């Protein structure tokens, strides 16, 4: 009897629950529902307005560019005065030439591991030799199998690469990033000059240069312009290598801005002068970039293999 009585009580309880009317919606519940509906509508609207190509959260939107918009035949040819004293990579042989060839070989090894075309060269503080390294590295790359190289002076505060090449500094990168000129107007190539050797001519014809221009106090804003990324994407299909010389990374933020559009970063340290904490801080500032390594500049000690320089020049 007790089990039957319990079953009847459970059945009566279930019927009461079935007859219970739904609770009236409070104004708060209506507000929550409206917020939810608005959020869903906003998400659907954002999804509809997003580009067709899906991108992850935090990934910057990249403006597509048309590589065919760059007509290399329109690049002006201007007088240069390349100097062997400033540019030892122009020599046929010697310790400096071999060191830049070794650096070039290391870069080729890194490119075998991951895509690498645009390399920014910078240092922690001024006077460590980044402009010297970037210019001679560009020429060493241009010498190798007729590779097409674009050299950009990205230091729009103290632009000096035009002095190494012996050419005009305007118009330059600052003028392009400021929207004053087109890409081809800031590019330049070398005209033949008196005393140009066949080896120098072969390098010069593969090298295209963009001077720094005068960014002045606006250099930080210009370096953060999306037009720099557009320039790299526009030029990349037409060149084998793009070398970007930038301002030092610790005093100003320009190098960090430019590094976002580069595949890798080379840091330059000066032998006997660059302090280890400075090198560490420079590396830390660029932690979001692909740091390829350090280049030790101004080493006065002769390499242990120095006796082999000019080895192939010996005649039996």
């Amino acid at each position: 009897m007790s089990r039957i009585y319990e079953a009847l009580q459970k059945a009566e309880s279930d019927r009461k629950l079935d007859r219970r009317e739904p609770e009236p919606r409070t104004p708060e519940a209506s507000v929550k529902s409206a917020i939810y509906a608005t959020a869903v509508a906003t998400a659907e609207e954002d999804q509809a307005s997003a580009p067709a190509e899906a991108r992850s959260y935090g990934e910057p939107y990249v403006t597509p560019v048309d590589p065919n918009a760059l007509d290399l035949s329109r690049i002006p040819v201007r007088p240069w005065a390349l100097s062997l004293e400033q540019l030892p990579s122009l020599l046929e042989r010697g310790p400096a030439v071999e060191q830049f060839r070794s650096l070039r070989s290391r870069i080729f090894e890194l490119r075998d591991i991951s895509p690498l075309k645009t390399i920014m060269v910078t240092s922690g503080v001024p006077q460590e030799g980044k402009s010297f390294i970037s210019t001679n590295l560009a020429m060493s790359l241009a010498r190798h199998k007729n590779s097409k190289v674009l050299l950009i002076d990205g230091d729009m505060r103290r632009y000096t690469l035009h002095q190494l090449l012996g050419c005009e500094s305007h118009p330059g990168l600052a003028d392009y990033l400021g929207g004053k000129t087109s890409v081809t107007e800031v590019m330049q190539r070398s005209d033949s000059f008196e005393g140009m050797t066949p080896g120098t001519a072969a390098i010069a014809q593969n090298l295209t240069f963009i001077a720094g221009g005068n960014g002045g106090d606006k250099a930080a804003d210009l370096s953060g312009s999306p037009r720099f990324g557009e320039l790299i994407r526009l030029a990349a299909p037409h060149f084998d290598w793009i070398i970007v010389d930038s301002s030092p990374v610790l005093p100003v933020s320009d190098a960090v801005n430019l590094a976002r559009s580069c595949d890798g970063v080379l840091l330059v340290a000066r032998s006997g002068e660059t302090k280890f904490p400075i090198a560490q801080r420079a590396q830390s500032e660029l932690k979001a970039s692909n740091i390829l390594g350090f280049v030790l500049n101004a080493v006065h000690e002769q390499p242990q293999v120095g006796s082999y320089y000019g080895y192939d020049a010996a005649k039996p």
Side-chain angles (χ1 to χ4, degrees):
M1 288 295 291
S2 62
R3 293 182 177 177
I4 296 175
Y5 177 73
E6 290 175 358
L8 290 173
Q9 279 191 322
K10 183 176 185 304
E12 180 63 20
S13 177
D14 291 343
R15 283 195 297 271
K16 289 180 179 179
L17 290 174
D18 293 339
R19 290 196 301 268
R20 182 178 297 173
E21 296 181 357
E23 296 180 357
R25 297 175 62 181
T26 62
E28 181 182 1
S30 301
V31 172
K32 291 180 178 178
S33 178
I35 293 175
Y36 173 74
T38 304
V40 171
T42 303
E44 292 176 346
E45 183 179 354
D46 292 343
Q47 187 175 8
S49 60
E53 183 178 354
R55 61 181 190 272
S56 60
Y57 176 77
E59 182 180 351
Y61 177 67
V62 177
T63 305
V65 296
D66 181 12
N68 297 323
L70 179 58
D71 184 3
L72 298 184
S73 64
R74 300 178 60 184
I75 297 176
V77 177
R78 295 175 179 168
W80 291 12
L82 302 177
S83 170
L84 293 177
E85 295 180 359
Q86 301 277 8
L87 303 168
S89 57
L90 293 175
L91 297 170
E92 292 297 327
R93 60 177 59 87
V97 176
E98 294 301 329
Q99 291 303 312
F100 281 109
R101 285 174 178 168
S102 296
L103 176 60
R104 184 182 65 194
S105 298
R106 299 295 180 270
I107 291 174
F108 273 103
E109 291 175 0
L110 293 173
R111 193 173 66 169
D112 291 338
I113 299 174
S114 61
L116 183 63
K117 174 174 287 190
T118 305
I119 300 175
M120 190 185 80
V121 181
T122 186
S123 58
V125 294
Q127 304 299 320
E128 292 185 302
K130 59 181 182 52
S131 298
F132 173 78
I133 296 296
S134 59
T135 307
N136 282 280
L137 173 60
M139 294 198 167
S140 182
L141 291 168
R143 179 195 290 269
H144 183 71
K145 295 183 179 179
N146 290 323
S147 297
K148 304 300 180 185
V149 179
L150 173 62
L151 175 62
I152 301 176
D153 192 344
D155 189 345
M156 294 173 283
R157 301 171 188 263
R158 297 182 181 179
Y159 41 98
T160 58
L161 296 196
H162 68 283
Q163 297 176 354
L164 297 174
L165 300 179
C167 62
E168 295 291 332
S169 62
H170 295 87
L173 180 64
D175 301 295
Y176 171 76
L177 297 181
K180 299 178 181 177
T181 58
S182 66
V183 176
T184 52
E185 288 175 329
V186 296
M187 289 181 172
Q188 57 177 299
R189 287 176 169 169
S190 173
D191 195 2
S192 59
F193 54 87
E194 185 177 358
M196 175 181 274
T197 63
T200 302
I203 295 175
Q205 70 178 3
N206 292 329
L207 188 65
T208 302
F209 176 56
I210 296 180
N214 186 6
D217 295 335
K218 298 180 180 178
D221 295 334
L222 293 174
S223 64
S225 168
R227 285 175 63 86
F228 182 73
E230 294 173 5
L231 167 63
I232 297 299
R233 295 194 297 277
L234 186 64
H238 301 276
F239 295 94
D240 298 296
W241 296 96
I242 300 175
I243 305 300
V244 182
D245 180 59
S246 80
S247 53
V249 68
L250 293 182
V252 291
S253 61
D254 306 7
V256 176
N257 292 334
L258 298 181
R260 296 191 182 101
S261 300
C262 299
D263 301 323
V265 177
L266 275 178
L267 280 164
V268 178
R270 193 172 188 86
S271 176
E273 295 188 18
T274 302
K275 306 298 182 185
F276 184 69
I278 294 294
Q280 278 188 314
R281 286 177 55 195
Q283 184 177 6
S284 177
E285 290 290 331
L286 294 164
K287 60 184 177 183
S289 303
N290 177 27
I291 298 178
L292 304 177
F294 276 86
V295 178
L296 188 60
N297 183 36
V299 178
H300 297 291
E301 297 178 0
Q302 290 292 332
Q304 296 297 321
V305 294
S307 59
Y308 283 87
Y309 292 132
Y311 175 76
D312 56 351
K315 303 296 182 183

